[in-house]
Amino acid sequence: MEMNRDQLVEMAVNASVDHPASPKYRGGYDGRARITIAVGGITYSHAIGDKCMNLAGDHVEPGVSMANADSAKNAAVQTFSCIGNPVTCISGPAKGAKGRVTGTHGGIEHCMAYFDPEDLDQMEGTENFLIRTLGQGLKTPEAPDVFWMNIDPNLLEAMDLEIDEEGNVHFPVVTVIPAFLMGSGLGSSTMMSGDYDIMTQDPEANEQFGLNDLRFGDFVAVLDHDSTYGPHYKKGAVTIGVVVHSDSFTSGHGPGLTVVATSKEGRIIPYKDPDANLKPYFEKMESEA
């Protein structure tokens, strides 16, 4: 795939493990209040490739949840970091360990990263990280009507996507969902940071659209949504996102999608592939490094 690599800017940003905050009761869509494990810290038990549904938690973030303590600097971490960017642990017992960005989570303003389990097990929750950000501003001349964001060009290359003669990008996804299932995050002015959620409060819809089997790191297509300048309904448009956090008990919430591509002209053609997950693509990137 031809990309504008020579125009892309690679820049360092720094973040640290963002410690979980004091839990409080969360009001659920069913009228119940719950105290649950939620965002932040290091999640040892769940990573990309693992199921994100039916967990004993709410908005759980896989792997390492990072932020910069300075809010202005953290805004750069959230905006510049792209899925697939290399992350290096630069302090603590796991110093030198290498990982990759798996997405960003709006509201709490976290950037999440995957590390190998043996490296994660060494981490104590006080680590600092270097993220080599690259990807915002990416363009594909063969598909000018596709707007890319939040994805490392090296990940995109590893995915080996097909672009046909009409400029359509054929994109593997685990499921295709309708616009009406998208909730929290609508109204955002940009999707170049953060995410927006799939609503999972209807059991029949969850079954119909395969949401019960969603995993962290899955690629998902949203039909009739244009996310070029914030997500909104537009008939015929297509948005592609990556699942970045778990399901939620809160009304209007559910697994979050960090957007990686959108086309208001519908120049993205999603097709079902059960292996459309970050884990095999990251493994391919490592094997070809």
Side-chain angles (χ1 to χ4, degrees):
M1 180 183 290
E2 184 182 349
M3 292 179 265
N4 62 333
R5 282 181 175 269
D6 60 329
Q7 295 177 320
L8 300 182
V9 178
E10 185 176 17
M11 181 175 288
V13 298
N14 293 104
S16 305
V17 176
D18 197 37
H19 197 284
S22 174
K24 300 178 181 178
Y25 278 102
R26 289 172 176 253
Y29 72 94
D30 53 2
R32 292 179 56 193
R34 301 170 175 85
I35 293 179
T36 67
I37 289 176
V39 296
I42 296 175
T43 300
Y44 300 100
S45 57
H46 291 81
I48 54 171
D50 295 332
K51 289 191 69 171
C52 71
M53 301 291 289
N54 197 30
L55 303 187
D58 193 292
H59 284 81
V60 174
E61 299 166 336
V64 178
S65 298
M66 304 176 290
N68 192 297
D70 182 296
S71 61
K73 294 176 182 177
N74 193 48
V77 173
Q78 303 308 309
T79 305
F80 297 168
S81 296
C82 292
I83 295 174
N85 284 167
V87 183
T88 303
C89 180
I90 57 176
S91 70
K95 183 177 181 180
K98 306 289 186 181
R100 292 193 182 276
V101 170
T102 60
T104 55
H105 185 182
I108 192 64
E109 307 307 326
H110 282 164
C111 177
M112 287 79 74
Y114 170 83
F115 284 86
D116 288 337
E118 56 269 26
D119 292 324
L120 208 64
D121 283 341
Q122 295 184 59
M123 295 185 188
E124 301 173 327
T126 59
E127 283 77 13
N128 300 314
F129 301 92
L130 163 68
I131 307 170
R132 294 184 62 140
T133 67
L134 178 70
Q136 300 295 33
L138 188 149
K139 298 183 187 301
T140 49
E142 299 163 285
D145 294 326
V146 175
F147 189 89
W148 301 94
M149 65 187 91
N150 307 319
I151 188 167
D152 190 305
N154 296 304
L155 170 58
L156 196 57
E157 191 170 80
M159 296 181 71
D160 195 24
L161 303 181
E162 176 192 349
I163 301 178
D164 64 31
E165 293 180 355
E166 296 179 352
N168 298 307
V169 176
H170 296 254
F171 212 113
V173 295
V174 299
T175 190
V176 178
I177 65 173
F180 64 76
L181 281 181
M182 299 310 295
S184 177
L186 291 175
S188 300
S189 61
T190 180
M191 285 280 94
M192 290 181 71
S193 65
D195 67 311
Y196 74 138
D197 289 7
I198 306 169
M199 295 187 289
T200 53
Q201 286 78 58
D202 186 276
E204 291 184 8
N206 294 348
E207 183 66 28
Q208 179 181 355
F209 297 106
L211 304 183
N212 293 323
D213 298 320
L214 281 181
R215 302 162 297 179
F216 296 109
D218 276 349
F219 285 85
V220 172
V222 183
L223 300 183
D224 299 319
H225 261 206
D226 170 32
S227 299
T228 306
Y229 301 109
H232 55 272
Y233 178 83
K234 185 179 187 302
K235 188 173 179 60
V238 180
T239 286
I240 303 291
V242 174
V243 176
V244 295
H245 65 68
S246 79
D247 195 15
S248 172
F249 299 106
T250 308
S251 291
H253 289 254
L257 301 181
T258 290
V259 173
V260 296
T262 189
S263 176
K264 64 180 67 176
E265 295 84 2
R267 292 298 187 180
I268 298 172
I269 301 178
Y271 64 92
K272 297 282 189 70
D273 180 352
D275 296 322
N277 184 275
L278 288 179
K279 189 172 183 180
Y281 293 131
F282 282 3
E283 291 172 351
K284 182 179 180 182
M285 292 171 74
E286 297 305 319
S287 68
E288 294 178 350

